[in-house]
């Protein structure tokens, strides 16, 4: 049962603090037992006689086997080999510091629809802002909420927010705001996805973001801006100085820490403690992969990245999705999954 082995490796990696070579070796050994030519389990079909009809039924459901009564054991071995190789590949991809941020976010990424959590954090912040009597405290909370909403809506990186200027990146038509981001400001500006593109337009369709952004630009920004920050959209709140990416990251960490404590999504999510600006890209990717009709291609479009890069960076999300499907069968979760019809508007690429 590849699903049970997956649970064991997850337990082992949680205790170790990361995926490591032991994770790989466990999957490698298990795969060898069902290898097409030299697998011991595969070569001993009489082992299935030790399984109850219910256990055989669970394995058939786990590996999507229909019929195959004449050679059921081979079909089970084929399904186990397929899953174990995929899990082993993901364990290799998830080793090292570049994947630890994803590992830390596991309780969030494991949610049925991770963006539901972000929506709740925003609702908690809005309630906080509306009952806040201190004008300066209210203004600071509002500024942090706007940053969080922009990251969730656009999947931009924290560095983009540090560079944003009012009138240059943030444009306004009547009471409606939108962003225009030059391609050279993207980390992957030389990617094939930007070939022939001069700038990217984000329409910002969320009415709540439009409403809070208007209050921020009209009321908060003039009060905190200084000559040093010129027309930067998110100057340092306490000094008015030009923002650095580290400042944006610190404000998002403070925002998430404040409201994760209050979430209704359970203790494992609360134990995440806090997260930074890049977490929104992981959350958006996970939601777009896990949603009904979701795919790596859809996630790549939203992140403005190639499918190959998205598939590599979000290997954990894909592995989790595979495990969720198998675990759902094995553990006989009968409750209907909530289906949320949700799409992310793909930013418009403006050819230069």
């Amino acid at each position: 049962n590849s699903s049970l082995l997956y649970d064991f490796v997850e337990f082992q990696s949680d205790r170790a603090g990361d995926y490591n070579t032991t994770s790989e070796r466990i999957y490698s050994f298990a795969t060898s037992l069902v290898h097409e030519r030299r697998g011991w389990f595969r070569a001993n079909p009489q082992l299935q006689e030790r399984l109850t009809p219910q256990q055989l039924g669970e394995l058939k459901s786990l590996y999507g086997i229909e019929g195959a009564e004449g050679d059921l054991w081979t079909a089970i071995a084929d399904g186990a080999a397929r899953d174990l190789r995929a899990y082993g590949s993901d364990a290799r991809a998830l080793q090292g510091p570049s994947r630890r941020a994803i590992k830390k976010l596991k309780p969030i990424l494991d949610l049925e629809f991770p963006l539901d959590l972000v929506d709740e954090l925003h609702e908690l912040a809005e309630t906080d802002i509306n009952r806040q009597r201190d004008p300066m405290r209210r203004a600071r909370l509002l500024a942090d909420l706007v940053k969080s909403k922009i990251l969730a809506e656009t999947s931009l990186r924290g560095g983009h927010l540090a560079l944003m200027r009012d009138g240059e990146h943030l444009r306004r038509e009547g009471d409606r705001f939108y962003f225009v981001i030059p391609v050279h400001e993207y980390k992957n500006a030389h990617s094939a996805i930007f070939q022939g593109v001069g700038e990217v337009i984000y329409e910002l369709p969320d009415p709540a973001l439009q409403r809070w952004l208007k209050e921020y630009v009209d009321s908060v920004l003039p009060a905190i801006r200084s000559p040093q920050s010129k027309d930067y959209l998110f100057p340092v709140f306490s000094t008015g100085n030009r923002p650095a990416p580290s400042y944006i990251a610190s404000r998002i960490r403070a925002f998430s820490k404040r409201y994760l404590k209050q979430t209704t999504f359970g203790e494992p999510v609360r134990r995440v403690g806090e997260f930074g600006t890049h977490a929104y890209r992981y959350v958006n990717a996970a939601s777009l992969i896990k949603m009904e009709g979701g795919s790596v291609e859809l996630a790549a479009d939203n992140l403005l990245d190639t499918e190959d890069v998205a598939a590599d960076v979000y290997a954990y999300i894909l592995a989790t999705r595979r495990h969720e499907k198998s675990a759902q069968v094995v553990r006989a979760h009968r409750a209907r999954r909530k289906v949320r019809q949700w799409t992310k508007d793909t930013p418009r690429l403006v050819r230069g």
Side-chain angles (χ1 to χ4, degrees):
N1 188 317
S2 60
S3 180
L4 296 179
L5 191 66
Y6 183 100
D7 283 342
F8 170 70
V9 174
E10 286 296 288
F11 169 81
Q12 182 266 339
S13 62
D14 284 340
R15 291 297 179 93
D18 200 0
Y19 293 94
N20 51 39
T21 55
T22 300
S23 307
E24 278 189 77
R25 289 169 182 165
I26 292 170
Y27 284 129
S28 178
F29 174 71
T31 303
S32 73
L33 295 174
V34 289
H35 190 273
E36 287 77 359
R37 287 184 290 107
R38 55 182 183 273
W40 185 79
F41 278 154
R42 188 185 290 269
N44 289 273
Q46 71 275 11
L47 292 172
Q48 65 184 300
E49 298 173 5
R50 303 183 183 184
L51 301 176
T52 66
Q54 180 180 350
Q55 289 171 327
L56 283 171
E58 288 176 351
L59 290 174
K60 289 175 66 176
S61 297
L62 177 62
Y63 300 127
I65 299 170
E66 296 181 2
E69 296 297 338
D71 201 5
L72 177 58
W73 194 245
T74 297
I76 289 172
D78 288 342
R82 181 189 64 241
D83 281 6
L84 291 168
R85 286 188 178 116
Y87 293 153
S89 175
D90 291 331
R92 285 191 294 277
L94 291 167
Q95 291 180 42
S98 62
R99 302 294 187 262
R100 285 176 190 148
I102 301 179
K103 179 100 174 140
K104 178 185 177 184
L105 292 171
K106 182 179 184 299
I108 296 174
L109 301 182
D110 282 349
L111 295 174
E112 180 179 323
F113 193 78
L115 268 170
D116 283 341
L117 170 71
V118 177
D119 289 344
E120 184 184 58
L121 301 187
H122 292 163
E123 291 168 4
L124 290 168
E126 289 173 347
T127 300
D128 210 359
I129 291 169
N130 288 330
R131 68 187 181 195
Q132 187 58 244
R133 296 182 178 180
D134 184 328
M136 289 303 292
R137 182 180 288 274
R138 185 183 192 280
R140 184 187 287 274
L141 291 174
L142 192 154
D144 290 343
L145 172 63
V146 168
K147 295 183 189 78
S148 180
K149 276 188 166 289
I150 289 172
L151 292 171
E153 183 73 21
T154 65
S155 294
L156 287 168
R157 292 177 167 87
H160 285 113
L161 271 64
L163 291 173
M164 281 182 179
R165 292 174 180 257
D166 186 14
E168 180 181 342
H169 299 88
L170 180 66
R171 310 284 181 87
R172 187 171 188 170
E173 290 183 358
D175 286 335
R176 189 153 195 84
F177 295 93
Y178 62 96
F179 287 125
V180 179
I181 310 295
V183 163
H184 67 82
E185 293 183 2
Y186 287 86
K187 182 179 179 180
N188 59 330
H190 298 294
S191 170
I193 196 171
F194 289 121
Q195 187 173 0
V197 175
E199 59 189 20
V200 181
I201 296 176
Y202 294 85
E203 301 287 1
L204 309 181
D206 179 12
L209 174 56
Q210 289 283 338
R211 184 176 69 254
W212 291 115
L213 191 53
K214 183 178 188 304
E215 181 176 349
Y216 174 76
V217 171
D218 291 348
S219 303
V220 177
L221 188 55
I224 62 175
R225 181 176 279 161
S226 73
Q228 290 83 1
S229 64
K230 299 179 182 179
D231 55 355
Y232 281 93
L233 185 59
F234 295 111
V236 178
F237 192 91
S238 57
T239 65
N241 291 338
R242 173 180 173 175
S246 58
Y247 168 72
I248 302 295
S250 69
R251 294 314 309 159
I252 290 299
R253 285 195 298 271
F255 176 86
S256 60
K257 185 176 183 178
R258 181 184 183 93
Y259 296 111
L260 274 176
K261 295 176 181 178
Q262 304 175 41
T263 182
T264 62
F265 280 84
E267 187 59 30
V269 171
R270 287 191 286 270
R271 282 201 297 268
V272 171
E274 63 182 36
F275 53 74
T277 55
H278 209 71
Y280 293 85
R281 290 174 64 82
Y282 296 138
V283 167
N284 275 340
S287 299
L288 286 163
I289 289 171
K290 296 171 76 172
M291 64 182 278
E292 185 179 20
S295 65
V296 175
E297 181 182 7
L298 192 60
D301 286 345
N302 178 255
L303 301 174
L304 291 180
D305 224 330
T306 63
E307 282 187 57
D308 288 344
V309 171
D312 176 56
V313 173
Y314 301 105
Y316 169 77
I317 297 167
L318 299 177
T320 300
R321 187 188 185 206
R322 280 194 293 269
H323 177 56
E324 284 174 350
K325 288 183 177 179
S326 60
Q328 194 176 13
V329 173
V330 174
R331 294 165 190 162
H333 288 170
R334 304 301 184 196
R336 287 178 57 86
R337 290 171 62 87
K338 179 182 73 174
V339 177
R340 174 174 172 178
Q341 297 296 332
W342 181 87
T343 58
K344 274 282 188 182
D345 290 338
T346 301
R348 289 195 284 120
L349 304 181
V350 182
R351 302 289 165 182

